[in-house]
């Protein structure tokens, strides 16, 4: 299992996500983002706006995703 934070994934806080695959981690991050959106968290809303800008370019989003996946793969496994 590996760990990344909300901030490492483009978010606004130090919430940690633990997963065996990057896809699992991304799903946890997405759920967290939806919770923060519903809560109206200002910092997370600003981070989401930046991600929405990135998503306007399919190439830029694919590159971001690939880079984050590589970052995840390079992490050491958690000792949990």
């Amino acid at each position: 299992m590996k760990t990344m934070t909300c901030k490492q994934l483009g978010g606004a806080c130090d919430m940690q996500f633990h997963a065996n695959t990057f896809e699992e981690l991304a799903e946890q991050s997405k759920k967290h983002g939806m919770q923060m959106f519903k809560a109206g968290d200002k910092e997370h809303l600003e981070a989401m706006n930046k991600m929405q800008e990135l998503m306007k370019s399919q190439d830029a989003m694919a590159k971001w995703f690939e880079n984050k996946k590589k970052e995840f793969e390079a992490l050491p496994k958690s000792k949990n």
Side-chain angles (χ1 to χ4, degrees):
M1 210 171 261
K2 297 182 179 189
T3 303
M4 288 183 86
T5 66
C6 177
K7 282 183 183 174
Q8 285 176 295
L9 296 166
C13 72
D14 292 321
M15 171 93 165
Q16 292 185 345
F17 306 108
H18 309 280
N20 291 313
T21 68
F22 182 72
E23 290 74 16
E24 291 172 4
L25 196 89
E27 188 59 34
Q28 291 176 32
S29 175
K30 183 179 174 181
K31 286 180 184 177
H32 172 67
M34 288 193 296
Q35 290 172 338
M36 294 298 101
F37 178 79
K38 288 178 183 175
D41 184 83
K42 183 182 175 191
E43 289 80 17
H44 282 84
L45 292 174
E46 289 173 7
M48 287 177 209
N49 286 335
K50 289 178 185 175
M51 287 301 292
Q52 285 180 334
E53 283 298 313
L54 186 64
M55 286 193 265
K56 289 180 181 178
S57 166
Q58 194 171 13
D59 288 340
M61 189 64 204
K63 189 173 187 174
W64 178 91
F65 189 87
E66 188 61 34
N67 286 337
K68 290 299 174 183
K69 187 172 182 176
K70 285 178 184 177
E71 186 179 333
F72 174 82
E73 296 297 333
L75 291 170
K77 290 189 176 184
S78 303
K79 294 180 177 159
N80 306 18

